[in-house]
Amino acid sequence: MATADGNTSFTITLADEVIETMMDLKPTKIYGNNRAEIARSLIHDMLKRLHAEGLVRLRGLPPR
């Protein structure tokens, strides 16, 4: 799978129950159309939340 410059792909292993829960979100299409898109969206959303809480700093965004 090709990735755009500035993006790196990697593989993770999750419990079947976690994947099944993620896939429950697929029909909404809010987070994506497949498990990779859903996982990416959920990770990104959590990092934005942690940034808003001041627990992490997202590169490219001003500190909270």
Side-chain angles (χ1 to χ4, degrees):
M1 179 172 142
T3 58
D5 288 342
N7 293 301
T8 303
S9 81
F10 68 100
T11 303
I12 61 172
T13 302
L14 297 169
D16 291 341
E17 293 85 356
V18 173
I19 293 172
E20 290 166 7
T21 302
M22 286 174 25
M23 296 310 293
D24 289 344
L25 298 168
K26 185 178 175 183
T28 69
K29 297 187 181 190
I30 294 170
Y31 292 96
N33 293 317
N34 59 57
R35 67 179 172 190
E37 290 176 4
I38 294 168
R40 182 183 62 228
S41 294
L42 293 173
I43 291 167
H44 191 228
D45 284 356
M46 181 52 75
L47 287 172
K48 288 189 291 187
R49 176 186 283 177
L50 293 171
H51 175 80
E53 294 175 9
L55 297 173
V56 299
R57 183 176 184 285
L58 293 181
R59 288 153 179 80
L61 293 179
R64 177 180 176 260

